[in-house]
């Protein structure tokens, strides 16, 4: 095989109560990467689209190629590649844009080499893409983009990650307002200390969320979708956040919170019809304040990245 085209999905990180430890993949949007073998050892970015000229062509600094370079170096592989990156989602959106690129690149290279390594073993390399893009190698976007489904990062050191099954009727609505939030900034504003009271409340919700997902207990999922620690601080970065959340809950959502570092806002619903109704309500709330937005409705994507050409 000389060339391969791969899709890697957008992801929702944190999922209300699980800052840096919960994330799941969606069906769309996602990034596409084309990787072609070269006759030398170089890794070159030949084309980037959909980024409005914002991303670097420097392979040592772009989230799509940093994981590829780390993977090739660690495994002593001397094959070079031309890499095309087609961004199909906005940057700085809270949809795991850099993670989708990081995953698509290294997944494509492993596939084109005949899949010498397991998909899960590509995770530490993909995390290097996140580090270069956001200044922090958190895995709650990268892991679900790579492994699909709902992922829990039980530990970062050592890395310990597992999937949790999700109920069949669980749908997500994501609304992306047309503003940009830089993940580095959204992490910088967080407090370093958390009160005992909030820690206890948050731990209860983390446990409740996992049990709710595993038991298809939609009411338990709903009760667990409360973030005492991050959302109250970050809401300030998203105009109309509280109005949008209120609109989602009024329209029948199980819960609603910030997607990753924002500004996208996500809601869980039982059934696609409710998820679509929730999307309309959320968009209307943003648009009342003259904030243009895009919406997506999806089930939980259990596949993760896939070869599309
Ligand atoms: N857990 C990360 C955060 C996700 O909220 O900062 C964003 O990439």
């Amino acid at each position: 095989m000389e060339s391969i085209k791969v899709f890697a999905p957008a992801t929702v990180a944190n999922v209300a109560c699980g800052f840096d430890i919960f994330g799941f993949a969606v069906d769309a949007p996602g990034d596409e990467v084309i990787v072609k073998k070269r006759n030398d050892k170089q890794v070159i970015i030949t084309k980037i689209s959909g980024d409005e000229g914002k991303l670097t062509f420097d392979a040592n600094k772009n989230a799509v190629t940093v994981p590829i370079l780390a993977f090739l170096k660690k495994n002593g592989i001397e094959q070079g590649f031309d890499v095309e990156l087609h961004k199909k989602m906005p940057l700085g959106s809270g949809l795991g844009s850099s993670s989708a690129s990081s995953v698509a690149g290294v997944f494509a290279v492993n596939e084109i080499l005949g899949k010498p390594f397991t998909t899960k073993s590509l995770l530490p390399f993909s995390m290097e893409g996140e580090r270069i893009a956001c200044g922090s190698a958190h895995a709650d976007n990268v892991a679900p983009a790579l492994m699909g489904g709902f992922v829990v990062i039980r530990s970062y050191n050592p890395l310990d990650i597992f999937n949790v099954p999700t109920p069949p009727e669980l749908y997500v609505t994501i609304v992306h307002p047309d503003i940009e939030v830089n993940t580095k900034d959204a992490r910088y504003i967080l407090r370093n200390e958390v009160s005992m009271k909030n820690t206890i409340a948050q731990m209860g919700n983390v446990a409740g969320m996992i049990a709710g997902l595993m038991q298809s207990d939609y009411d338990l999922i709903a009760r667990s979708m409360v973030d005492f620690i991050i959302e109250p601080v970050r809401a300030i970065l998203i105009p109309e956040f509280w109005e949008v959340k209120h609109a989602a809950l009024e329209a029948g959502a199980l819960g609603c919170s910030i997607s990753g570092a924002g500004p996208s806002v996500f809601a869980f619903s039982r059934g696609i019809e409710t998820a679509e109704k929730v999307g309309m309500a959320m968009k209307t709330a943003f648009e009342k304040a003259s904030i243009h937005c895009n919406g997506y409705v999806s089930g939980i994507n259990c596949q993760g990245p896939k070869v599309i050409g």
Side-chain angles (χ1 to χ4, degrees):
M1 196 194 300
E2 291 304 303
S3 165
I4 195 169
K5 186 175 184 184
V6 160
F7 165 90
T11 43
V12 172
N14 301 337
V15 201
C17 54
F19 178 68
D20 277 0
I21 63 164
F22 284 172
F24 64 87
V26 297
D27 294 329
D31 281 353
E32 291 173 11
V33 167
I34 300 170
V35 163
K36 289 184 190 140
K37 279 187 186 165
R38 291 175 58 92
N39 293 327
D40 58 26
K41 294 191 242 171
Q42 294 188 82
V43 173
I44 308 274
I45 302 175
T46 53
K47 192 172 181 184
I48 305 178
S49 70
D51 70 323
E52 296 170 354
K54 290 180 186 164
L55 295 177
T56 177
F57 276 79
D58 182 341
N60 291 301
K61 294 188 180 150
N62 190 307
V64 72
T65 37
V66 164
I68 296 175
L69 290 166
F71 169 85
L72 296 174
K73 187 172 175 198
K74 174 86 194 302
N75 295 306
I77 299 167
E78 301 210 322
Q79 174 67 53
F81 296 96
D82 282 336
V83 180
E84 283 185 27
L85 171 59
H86 300 286
K87 297 296 302 176
K88 303 278 177 172
M89 66 176 117
L91 308 178
S93 57
L95 295 170
S97 174
S98 52
S99 298
S101 303
S102 299
V103 164
V106 74
F107 181 85
V109 164
N110 192 43
E111 290 288 318
I112 205 172
L113 292 173
K115 215 168 176 181
F117 299 95
T118 63
T119 300
K120 195 172 178 180
S121 73
L122 305 177
L123 184 59
F125 307 111
S126 303
M127 287 169 70
E128 289 310 309
E130 196 72 313
R131 190 195 303 282
I132 206 88
C134 310
S136 156
H138 49 272
D140 51 343
N141 289 113
V142 172
L146 185 67
M147 293 158 60
F150 191 107
V151 174
V152 177
I153 298 124
R154 192 206 59 80
S155 157
Y156 274 85
N157 190 17
L159 205 50
D160 185 358
I161 292 182
F162 61 91
N163 277 101
V164 174
T166 49
E169 291 175 68
L170 189 66
Y171 282 83
V172 61
T173 306
I174 304 172
V175 175
H176 170 240
D178 195 10
I179 49 175
E180 201 171 316
V181 169
N182 181 294
T183 300
K184 263 185 208 164
D185 298 340
R187 294 181 78 82
Y188 183 75
I189 63 165
L190 300 176
R191 300 182 191 108
N192 278 324
E193 268 133 40
V194 179
S195 71
M196 180 68 89
K197 187 174 156 225
N198 282 345
T199 305
I200 293 166
Q202 197 90 353
M203 285 195 298
N205 284 339
V206 165
M209 176 67 90
I210 294 173
L213 292 170
M214 294 184 76
Q215 297 167 1
S216 295
D217 184 336
Y218 295 92
D219 290 339
L220 181 53
I221 293 170
R223 294 200 300 283
S224 305
M225 286 185 73
V226 183
D227 177 6
F228 293 94
I229 298 174
I230 307 297
E231 183 184 285
V233 182
R234 282 187 172 167
I236 198 165
L237 300 174
I238 307 170
E240 305 304 306
F241 172 75
W242 298 111
E243 288 76 6
V244 171
K245 178 168 173 147
H246 180 73
L249 297 173
E250 283 283 297
L254 298 170
C256 174
S257 188
I258 301 168
S259 175
S264 290
V265 180
F266 85 99
F268 271 152
S269 296
R270 182 172 188 169
I272 192 164
E273 278 173 22
T274 307
E276 276 165 2
K277 197 172 139 208
V278 164
M280 295 299 295
M282 291 166 77
K283 277 167 100 171
T284 303
F286 269 128
E287 279 160 4
K288 259 189 203 160
S290 303
I291 300 168
H292 176 70
C293 48
N294 295 312
Y296 310 91
V297 171
S298 168
I300 310 296
N301 168 357
C302 292
Q303 184 179 9
K306 60 183 177 194
V307 176
I308 55 170

